[in-house]
Amino acid sequence: MATAATASRAGRLAIIAGDGKLPLYVAQAARAGGENPFILPLRNEAAQDWHGFDSAVIGVGDMAGLARLLKQNGIGRVVLSGGVRRRPAFGEIRANLRHILKLPSVVRTLLAGGDDVVLKMVIELIEAQGVRVVGAHEIAPDLLATAGPIGKVVPGEDDRRDIARAADAAEALGRLDVGQGAVSVGGRIVALEGVEGTDAMLARVADLRAEGRISKSRKGVLVKLCKPQQDVRADLPTIGRSTVENAVKAGLSGIAVEAGRSLIVDRVALVAMANDAGLFVCGLDRSLPGDGL
């Protein structure tokens, strides 16, 4: 985490806040580090109450409004955090002079690009305003997953085989810029994450199990990995209490995420919930034998 003096030299921090609790955790970490973050909740996406923080709501495609707010508030650094459920329609895009020549390319990317391609474009457009985009983990490093078991429950041999199988599938999925997660049950890939997100994918697994299309005698594992080509300043794989809750409903035995390149929100409560449910949570270091487990 940057010191207050270092942060002051780098300019004020802005947090573009999407859905979920991650933006609030990043804002609290910034404030604990002596900063006064300016919050930019995305209209129809962010659900947090930002009372007590300087803030201004902005539309998802309003680049001109964003540029104005960055300048007015002396912003030098920007964090992108939280989920965005939909991409802006053409009529919602507001471009300034620095962006107008790029508008055709922006529209093509929004229509046909994967999430990682879109986020790289967004970072480029923001940094064209003379600010620097930084990762949520740079402001709140305590959120990063560590290697090995994170709770008191540890994966067994069958779980390790499912972890390896799901990790290979998640990596292949990431290379296609489709999603970050996969579920393996008994060595069989039963679900891949798409635009619906992790919680919806787990709900689908629960439905398949209830219908008898997935074995009820075998548990299974969820694995989430950072995409191989991903810019780590945006959209790191994230799990929270809802992930544990939905993994339990799906009948899984555990969750594995990439150590150092994934975020765990509300870690203490998440670990307590997982321990109570007999569910393991662990961090994978794929550069080590056995993924660092």
Side-chain angles (χ1 to χ4, degrees), residues 145-146 148-151 153-155 159 163 166 181-183 198-199 201-202 220-225 237-250 252-258 262-264 270 273-274 278-284 293:
T146 51
I150 294 169
V153 184
V154 299
D159 299 322
I163 288 172
V183 175
T198 304
D199 287 344
M201 175 183 65
L202 291 174
V221 170
L222 163 68
V223 173
K224 295 192 71 172
L225 301 180
T238 302
I239 61 170
R241 286 183 289 175
S242 67
T243 319
V244 171
E245 181 181 353
N246 286 303
V248 171
K249 290 178 180 178
L252 302 183
S253 59
I255 300 167
V257 294
E258 187 170 359
S262 298
L263 304 176
I264 300 178
L270 178 148
M273 180 184 292
L279 188 96
F280 70 80
V281 179
C282 62
L284 306 179
L293 288 175

Short mmCIF file of all heavy atoms in Angstrom, two decimals, residues 145-146 148-151 153-155 159 163 166 181-183 198-199 201-202 220-225 237-250 252-258 262-264 270 273-274 278-284 293:
data_model
loop_
_atom_site.label_atom_id
_atom_site.label_comp_id
_atom_site.label_asym_id
_atom_site.label_seq_id
_atom_site.Cartn_x
_atom_site.Cartn_y
_atom_site.Cartn_z
N ALA A 145 -5.16 -13.38 -2.66
CA ALA A 145 -5.14 -14.78 -2.19
C ALA A 145 -3.70 -15.24 -2.01
O ALA A 145 -2.83 -14.91 -2.81
CB ALA A 145 -5.85 -15.69 -3.18
N THR A 146 -3.45 -15.99 -0.95
CA THR A 146 -2.14 -16.58 -0.69
C THR A 146 -2.16 -18.05 -1.08
O THR A 146 -3.23 -18.67 -1.19
CB THR A 146 -1.78 -16.44 0.79
OG1 THR A 146 -2.86 -16.95 1.59
CG2 THR A 146 -1.55 -14.99 1.17
N GLY A 148 -1.84 -22.10 -0.89
CA GLY A 148 -2.15 -23.10 0.13
C GLY A 148 -3.53 -22.93 0.71
O GLY A 148 -4.29 -22.02 0.35
N PRO A 149 -3.91 -23.82 1.66
CA PRO A 149 -5.23 -23.74 2.29
C PRO A 149 -5.41 -22.42 3.03
O PRO A 149 -4.51 -21.96 3.73
CB PRO A 149 -5.23 -24.92 3.27
CG PRO A 149 -4.21 -25.86 2.72
CD PRO A 149 -3.15 -25.00 2.10
N ILE A 150 -6.57 -21.82 2.88
CA ILE A 150 -6.85 -20.53 3.52
C ILE A 150 -7.71 -20.71 4.77
O ILE A 150 -7.66 -19.90 5.68
CB ILE A 150 -7.49 -19.58 2.49
CG1 ILE A 150 -6.46 -19.27 1.39
CG2 ILE A 150 -7.99 -18.29 3.14
CD1 ILE A 150 -7.01 -18.57 0.18
N GLY A 151 -8.45 -21.79 4.83
CA GLY A 151 -9.21 -22.14 6.03
C GLY A 151 -8.66 -23.40 6.67
O GLY A 151 -7.55 -23.84 6.36
N VAL A 153 -10.09 -26.41 6.43
CA VAL A 153 -10.39 -27.58 5.60
C VAL A 153 -9.37 -27.66 4.46
O VAL A 153 -9.06 -26.65 3.83
CB VAL A 153 -11.82 -27.51 5.04
CG1 VAL A 153 -12.16 -28.78 4.27
CG2 VAL A 153 -12.83 -27.26 6.16
N VAL A 154 -8.85 -28.85 4.21
CA VAL A 154 -7.86 -29.01 3.13
C VAL A 154 -8.39 -29.98 2.08
O VAL A 154 -9.17 -30.88 2.39
CB VAL A 154 -6.51 -29.53 3.69
CG1 VAL A 154 -5.92 -28.55 4.69
CG2 VAL A 154 -6.68 -30.89 4.33
N PRO A 155 -7.99 -29.78 0.82
CA PRO A 155 -8.47 -30.68 -0.25
C PRO A 155 -7.86 -32.07 -0.13
O PRO A 155 -6.69 -32.23 0.23
CB PRO A 155 -8.00 -29.98 -1.53
CG PRO A 155 -6.86 -29.10 -1.11
CD PRO A 155 -7.15 -28.69 0.30
N ASP A 159 -10.12 -34.23 -4.62
CA ASP A 159 -10.24 -32.79 -4.83
C ASP A 159 -9.07 -32.25 -5.64
O ASP A 159 -9.25 -31.41 -6.53
CB ASP A 159 -10.29 -32.05 -3.48
CG ASP A 159 -11.48 -32.46 -2.63
OD1 ASP A 159 -12.57 -32.66 -3.21
OD2 ASP A 159 -11.32 -32.57 -1.40
N ILE A 163 -9.15 -30.16 -8.98
CA ILE A 163 -8.51 -28.85 -9.08
C ILE A 163 -7.65 -28.77 -10.34
O ILE A 163 -7.72 -27.80 -11.11
CB ILE A 163 -7.65 -28.57 -7.82
CG1 ILE A 163 -8.55 -28.30 -6.61
CG2 ILE A 163 -6.73 -27.37 -8.06
CD1 ILE A 163 -7.80 -28.21 -5.30
N ALA A 166 -9.98 -28.71 -13.46
CA ALA A 166 -10.69 -27.44 -13.61
C ALA A 166 -9.73 -26.30 -13.92
O ALA A 166 -10.07 -25.37 -14.66
CB ALA A 166 -11.49 -27.14 -12.35
N GLY A 181 -13.59 -19.04 -14.70
CA GLY A 181 -13.87 -20.14 -13.79
C GLY A 181 -14.34 -21.40 -14.48
O GLY A 181 -14.91 -21.36 -15.58
N ALA A 182 -14.09 -22.53 -13.82
CA ALA A 182 -14.56 -23.83 -14.30
C ALA A 182 -14.85 -24.72 -13.10
O ALA A 182 -14.25 -24.57 -12.03
CB ALA A 182 -13.52 -24.49 -15.20
N VAL A 183 -15.79 -25.65 -13.28
CA VAL A 183 -16.15 -26.61 -12.24
C VAL A 183 -15.90 -28.01 -12.76
O VAL A 183 -16.33 -28.38 -13.86
CB VAL A 183 -17.63 -26.47 -11.83
CG1 VAL A 183 -18.02 -27.56 -10.82
CG2 VAL A 183 -17.89 -25.09 -11.22
N THR A 198 -19.79 -15.99 -11.97
CA THR A 198 -19.54 -17.18 -11.16
C THR A 198 -20.78 -17.66 -10.42
O THR A 198 -21.09 -18.87 -10.41
CB THR A 198 -18.41 -16.91 -10.15
OG1 THR A 198 -17.26 -16.46 -10.86
CG2 THR A 198 -18.07 -18.17 -9.37
N ASP A 199 -21.49 -16.75 -9.77
CA ASP A 199 -22.65 -17.17 -8.97
C ASP A 199 -23.71 -17.83 -9.83
O ASP A 199 -24.30 -18.86 -9.43
CB ASP A 199 -23.24 -15.98 -8.21
CG ASP A 199 -22.36 -15.54 -7.04
OD1 ASP A 199 -21.48 -16.31 -6.63
OD2 ASP A 199 -22.57 -14.42 -6.53
N MET A 201 -23.17 -19.35 -12.68
CA MET A 201 -22.64 -20.64 -13.11
C MET A 201 -22.84 -21.69 -12.02
O MET A 201 -23.25 -22.83 -12.29
CB MET A 201 -21.16 -20.53 -13.44
CG MET A 201 -20.50 -21.88 -13.78
SD MET A 201 -18.72 -21.81 -14.09
CE MET A 201 -18.10 -21.33 -12.48
N LEU A 202 -22.58 -21.32 -10.77
CA LEU A 202 -22.76 -22.26 -9.66
C LEU A 202 -24.24 -22.63 -9.48
O LEU A 202 -24.56 -23.78 -9.15
CB LEU A 202 -22.21 -21.67 -8.37
CG LEU A 202 -20.67 -21.53 -8.33
CD1 LEU A 202 -20.25 -20.80 -7.06
CD2 LEU A 202 -19.99 -22.88 -8.41
N GLY A 220 -16.86 -32.21 -6.13
CA GLY A 220 -16.41 -31.32 -7.19
C GLY A 220 -15.80 -30.04 -6.66
O GLY A 220 -15.90 -29.71 -5.48
N VAL A 221 -15.17 -29.30 -7.57
CA VAL A 221 -14.38 -28.13 -7.19
C VAL A 221 -14.60 -27.00 -8.19
O VAL A 221 -14.70 -27.24 -9.40
CB VAL A 221 -12.88 -28.50 -7.15
CG1 VAL A 221 -12.01 -27.27 -7.00
CG2 VAL A 221 -12.59 -29.47 -6.02
N LEU A 222 -14.65 -25.78 -7.67
CA LEU A 222 -14.63 -24.57 -8.49
C LEU A 222 -13.20 -24.02 -8.50
O LEU A 222 -12.58 -23.88 -7.44
CB LEU A 222 -15.56 -23.50 -7.92
CG LEU A 222 -15.35 -22.06 -8.42
CD1 LEU A 222 -15.72 -21.93 -9.89
CD2 LEU A 222 -16.13 -21.07 -7.56
N VAL A 223 -12.69 -23.71 -9.68
CA VAL A 223 -11.38 -23.07 -9.82
C VAL A 223 -11.55 -21.77 -10.59
O VAL A 223 -12.22 -21.73 -11.63
CB VAL A 223 -10.36 -23.98 -10.54
CG1 VAL A 223 -9.07 -23.21 -10.82
CG2 VAL A 223 -10.05 -25.21 -9.70
N LYS A 224 -10.94 -20.69 -10.08
CA LYS A 224 -10.92 -19.41 -10.78
C LYS A 224 -9.48 -18.97 -10.98
O LYS A 224 -8.70 -18.93 -10.02
CB LYS A 224 -11.70 -18.34 -10.00
CG LYS A 224 -13.18 -18.62 -9.87
CD LYS A 224 -13.95 -17.42 -9.36
CE LYS A 224 -14.03 -16.32 -10.40
NZ LYS A 224 -14.92 -15.20 -10.01
N LEU A 225 -9.13 -18.66 -12.23
CA LEU A 225 -7.79 -18.21 -12.57
C LEU A 225 -7.84 -16.89 -13.32
O LEU A 225 -8.79 -16.61 -14.06
CB LEU A 225 -7.08 -19.23 -13.47
CG LEU A 225 -6.87 -20.66 -12.96
CD1 LEU A 225 -6.16 -21.47 -14.03
CD2 LEU A 225 -6.10 -20.68 -11.66
N PRO A 237 -9.81 -12.23 -10.74
CA PRO A 237 -10.81 -13.16 -10.18
C PRO A 237 -11.05 -12.83 -8.71
O PRO A 237 -10.11 -12.60 -7.95
CB PRO A 237 -10.13 -14.53 -10.34
CG PRO A 237 -9.15 -14.34 -11.44
CD PRO A 237 -8.65 -12.93 -11.34
N THR A 238 -12.33 -12.81 -8.34
CA THR A 238 -12.71 -12.41 -6.98
C THR A 238 -13.72 -13.39 -6.42
O THR A 238 -14.64 -13.80 -7.12
CB THR A 238 -13.31 -10.99 -7.00
OG1 THR A 238 -12.36 -10.07 -7.56
CG2 THR A 238 -13.67 -10.53 -5.59
N ILE A 239 -13.53 -13.75 -5.16
CA ILE A 239 -14.53 -14.56 -4.46
C ILE A 239 -14.92 -13.85 -3.16
O ILE A 239 -14.13 -13.10 -2.59
CB ILE A 239 -14.04 -15.99 -4.15
CG1 ILE A 239 -12.80 -15.98 -3.24
CG2 ILE A 239 -13.75 -16.74 -5.45
CD1 ILE A 239 -12.41 -17.35 -2.72
N GLY A 240 -16.14 -14.11 -2.74
CA GLY A 240 -16.65 -13.56 -1.50
C GLY A 240 -17.58 -14.56 -0.84
O GLY A 240 -17.64 -15.73 -1.23
N ARG A 241 -18.32 -14.09 0.13
CA ARG A 241 -19.22 -15.00 0.87
C ARG A 241 -20.27 -15.61 -0.04
O ARG A 241 -20.66 -16.77 0.15
CB ARG A 241 -19.87 -14.24 2.02
CG ARG A 241 -18.93 -13.98 3.19
CD ARG A 241 -19.64 -13.29 4.33
NE ARG A 241 -19.96 -11.90 4.00
CZ ARG A 241 -20.67 -11.09 4.78
NH1 ARG A 241 -21.17 -11.52 5.91
NH2 ARG A 241 -20.90 -9.85 4.41
N SER A 242 -20.73 -14.86 -1.04
CA SER A 242 -21.75 -15.43 -1.94
C SER A 242 -21.18 -16.59 -2.74
O SER A 242 -21.91 -17.54 -3.07
CB SER A 242 -22.29 -14.35 -2.89
OG SER A 242 -21.28 -13.92 -3.79
N THR A 243 -19.87 -16.55 -3.03
CA THR A 243 -19.23 -17.66 -3.75
C THR A 243 -19.28 -18.92 -2.91
O THR A 243 -19.59 -20.01 -3.41
CB THR A 243 -17.77 -17.32 -4.11
OG1 THR A 243 -17.67 -15.97 -4.54
CG2 THR A 243 -17.26 -18.25 -5.20
N VAL A 244 -18.94 -18.79 -1.63
CA VAL A 244 -18.99 -19.94 -0.72
C VAL A 244 -20.42 -20.45 -0.59
O VAL A 244 -20.68 -21.67 -0.69
CB VAL A 244 -18.42 -19.57 0.66
CG1 VAL A 244 -18.67 -20.70 1.66
CG2 VAL A 244 -16.93 -19.25 0.56
N GLU A 245 -21.35 -19.55 -0.40
CA GLU A 245 -22.76 -19.94 -0.25
C GLU A 245 -23.25 -20.71 -1.47
O GLU A 245 -23.91 -21.76 -1.34
CB GLU A 245 -23.61 -18.68 -0.05
CG GLU A 245 -25.09 -18.96 0.13
CD GLU A 245 -25.91 -17.68 0.31
OE1 GLU A 245 -25.31 -16.60 0.43
OE2 GLU A 245 -27.14 -17.79 0.34
N ASN A 246 -22.92 -20.22 -2.66
CA ASN A 246 -23.38 -20.89 -3.88
C ASN A 246 -22.62 -22.17 -4.17
O ASN A 246 -23.17 -23.11 -4.77
CB ASN A 246 -23.29 -19.92 -5.06
CG ASN A 246 -24.38 -18.86 -5.02
OD1 ASN A 246 -25.56 -19.17 -4.99
ND2 ASN A 246 -23.98 -17.60 -5.00
N ALA A 247 -21.36 -22.24 -3.75
CA ALA A 247 -20.60 -23.49 -3.90
C ALA A 247 -21.20 -24.59 -3.03
O ALA A 247 -21.27 -25.76 -3.43
CB ALA A 247 -19.14 -23.27 -3.54
N VAL A 248 -21.64 -24.21 -1.83
CA VAL A 248 -22.31 -25.18 -0.95
C VAL A 248 -23.61 -25.66 -1.58
O VAL A 248 -23.91 -26.86 -1.61
CB VAL A 248 -22.56 -24.56 0.44
CG1 VAL A 248 -23.43 -25.48 1.29
CG2 VAL A 248 -21.24 -24.27 1.15
N LYS A 249 -24.40 -24.75 -2.12
CA LYS A 249 -25.66 -25.11 -2.76
C LYS A 249 -25.43 -26.03 -3.97
O LYS A 249 -26.27 -26.88 -4.29
CB LYS A 249 -26.41 -23.85 -3.20
CG LYS A 249 -26.97 -23.02 -2.06
CD LYS A 249 -27.66 -21.77 -2.59
CE LYS A 249 -28.23 -20.93 -1.46
NZ LYS A 249 -28.86 -19.68 -1.97
N ALA A 250 -24.28 -25.82 -4.63
CA ALA A 250 -23.96 -26.64 -5.80
C ALA A 250 -23.39 -28.00 -5.40
O ALA A 250 -23.10 -28.83 -6.28
CB ALA A 250 -22.96 -25.90 -6.69
N LEU A 252 -20.46 -28.63 -3.93
CA LEU A 252 -19.02 -28.74 -4.15
C LEU A 252 -18.28 -28.93 -2.82
O LEU A 252 -18.79 -28.60 -1.75
CB LEU A 252 -18.49 -27.48 -4.85
CG LEU A 252 -19.12 -27.13 -6.20
CD1 LEU A 252 -18.44 -25.91 -6.80
CD2 LEU A 252 -19.05 -28.31 -7.16
N SER A 253 -17.06 -29.44 -2.92
CA SER A 253 -16.25 -29.63 -1.72
C SER A 253 -15.28 -28.49 -1.49
O SER A 253 -14.72 -28.37 -0.40
CB SER A 253 -15.46 -30.94 -1.81
OG SER A 253 -14.61 -30.93 -2.94
N GLY A 254 -15.07 -27.64 -2.52
CA GLY A 254 -14.14 -26.55 -2.29
C GLY A 254 -14.00 -25.59 -3.45
O GLY A 254 -14.56 -25.76 -4.53
N ILE A 255 -13.19 -24.55 -3.17
CA ILE A 255 -12.91 -23.47 -4.13
C ILE A 255 -11.41 -23.26 -4.16
O ILE A 255 -10.77 -23.18 -3.12
CB ILE A 255 -13.60 -22.16 -3.70
CG1 ILE A 255 -15.12 -22.33 -3.60
CG2 ILE A 255 -13.24 -21.02 -4.64
CD1 ILE A 255 -15.82 -21.18 -2.89
N ALA A 256 -10.85 -23.15 -5.35
CA ALA A 256 -9.43 -22.83 -5.50
C ALA A 256 -9.30 -21.62 -6.42
O ALA A 256 -9.95 -21.54 -7.46
CB ALA A 256 -8.67 -24.02 -6.08
N VAL A 257 -8.46 -20.66 -5.99
CA VAL A 257 -8.22 -19.45 -6.78
C VAL A 257 -6.72 -19.26 -6.95
O VAL A 257 -5.92 -19.83 -6.22
CB VAL A 257 -8.84 -18.21 -6.12
CG1 VAL A 257 -10.36 -18.31 -6.10
CG2 VAL A 257 -8.29 -18.01 -4.71
N GLU A 258 -6.34 -18.44 -7.92
CA GLU A 258 -4.93 -18.25 -8.21
C GLU A 258 -4.28 -17.34 -7.18
O GLU A 258 -4.68 -16.19 -7.01
CB GLU A 258 -4.76 -17.66 -9.62
CG GLU A 258 -3.31 -17.59 -10.05
CD GLU A 258 -3.16 -17.23 -11.52
OE1 GLU A 258 -4.19 -17.06 -12.21
OE2 GLU A 258 -2.01 -17.15 -11.98
N SER A 262 -5.62 -13.22 -7.51
CA SER A 262 -7.05 -13.29 -7.24
C SER A 262 -7.31 -12.55 -5.93
O SER A 262 -6.41 -12.43 -5.09
CB SER A 262 -7.53 -14.74 -7.10
OG SER A 262 -7.35 -15.46 -8.30
N LEU A 263 -8.54 -12.09 -5.76
CA LEU A 263 -8.91 -11.33 -4.58
C LEU A 263 -9.93 -12.08 -3.75
O LEU A 263 -10.84 -12.72 -4.29
CB LEU A 263 -9.49 -9.96 -4.98
CG LEU A 263 -8.61 -9.09 -5.88
CD1 LEU A 263 -9.35 -7.81 -6.27
CD2 LEU A 263 -7.30 -8.76 -5.20
N ILE A 264 -9.78 -12.01 -2.43
CA ILE A 264 -10.74 -12.60 -1.50
C ILE A 264 -11.34 -11.47 -0.68
O ILE A 264 -10.65 -10.81 0.10
CB ILE A 264 -10.07 -13.64 -0.58
CG1 ILE A 264 -9.46 -14.77 -1.41
CG2 ILE A 264 -11.08 -14.21 0.41
CD1 ILE A 264 -8.73 -15.82 -0.58
N LEU A 270 -15.64 -15.04 5.22
CA LEU A 270 -15.66 -16.09 4.19
C LEU A 270 -15.06 -17.38 4.74
O LEU A 270 -15.63 -18.47 4.55
CB LEU A 270 -14.89 -15.62 2.96
CG LEU A 270 -14.75 -16.59 1.79
CD1 LEU A 270 -14.73 -15.84 0.46
CD2 LEU A 270 -13.47 -17.43 1.89
N MET A 273 -17.37 -19.05 7.25
CA MET A 273 -18.50 -19.70 6.57
C MET A 273 -18.06 -21.01 5.92
O MET A 273 -18.75 -22.04 6.01
CB MET A 273 -19.07 -18.75 5.51
CG MET A 273 -20.24 -19.31 4.74
SD MET A 273 -20.81 -18.19 3.42
CE MET A 273 -21.47 -16.84 4.39
N ALA A 274 -16.89 -20.99 5.27
CA ALA A 274 -16.38 -22.19 4.61
C ALA A 274 -16.06 -23.27 5.63
O ALA A 274 -16.39 -24.46 5.43
CB ALA A 274 -15.14 -21.86 3.79
N GLY A 278 -17.68 -27.07 6.00
CA GLY A 278 -16.77 -28.16 5.63
C GLY A 278 -16.23 -28.01 4.22
O GLY A 278 -15.87 -29.00 3.56
N LEU A 279 -16.14 -26.78 3.76
CA LEU A 279 -15.71 -26.48 2.39
C LEU A 279 -14.28 -25.92 2.44
O LEU A 279 -13.97 -25.06 3.26
CB LEU A 279 -16.63 -25.42 1.79
CG LEU A 279 -16.47 -25.10 0.31
CD1 LEU A 279 -17.47 -25.91 -0.51
CD2 LEU A 279 -16.72 -23.61 0.05
N PHE A 280 -13.39 -26.41 1.58
CA PHE A 280 -12.04 -25.86 1.57
C PHE A 280 -11.97 -24.65 0.63
O PHE A 280 -12.70 -24.55 -0.35
CB PHE A 280 -10.99 -26.90 1.17
CG PHE A 280 -11.02 -27.34 -0.27
CD1 PHE A 280 -10.43 -26.57 -1.27
CD2 PHE A 280 -11.62 -28.54 -0.63
CE1 PHE A 280 -10.45 -26.98 -2.59
CE2 PHE A 280 -11.64 -28.95 -1.96
CZ PHE A 280 -11.06 -28.17 -2.94
N VAL A 281 -11.07 -23.73 0.97
CA VAL A 281 -10.72 -22.60 0.11
C VAL A 281 -9.20 -22.57 0.07
O VAL A 281 -8.54 -22.60 1.11
CB VAL A 281 -11.26 -21.26 0.65
CG1 VAL A 281 -10.85 -20.11 -0.27
CG2 VAL A 281 -12.78 -21.31 0.81
N CYS A 282 -8.63 -22.53 -1.12
CA CYS A 282 -7.16 -22.56 -1.20
C CYS A 282 -6.68 -21.71 -2.36
O CYS A 282 -7.42 -21.41 -3.30
CB CYS A 282 -6.64 -23.98 -1.34
SG CYS A 282 -7.18 -24.86 -2.81
N GLY A 283 -5.41 -21.30 -2.24
CA GLY A 283 -4.76 -20.53 -3.30
C GLY A 283 -3.80 -21.39 -4.07
O GLY A 283 -3.04 -22.17 -3.48
N LEU A 284 -3.81 -21.27 -5.40
CA LEU A 284 -2.95 -22.06 -6.28
C LEU A 284 -1.78 -21.21 -6.78
O LEU A 284 -1.99 -20.09 -7.23
CB LEU A 284 -3.73 -22.56 -7.50
CG LEU A 284 -5.02 -23.34 -7.27
CD1 LEU A 284 -5.64 -23.71 -8.63
CD2 LEU A 284 -4.76 -24.57 -6.44
N LEU A 293 -0.07 -26.39 -3.51
CA LEU A 293 -0.98 -26.80 -2.45
C LEU A 293 -0.22 -27.58 -1.36
O LEU A 293 0.71 -28.31 -1.66
CB LEU A 293 -2.09 -27.69 -3.02
CG LEU A 293 -3.13 -26.95 -3.87
CD1 LEU A 293 -4.10 -27.92 -4.49
CD2 LEU A 293 -3.89 -25.93 -3.04
#
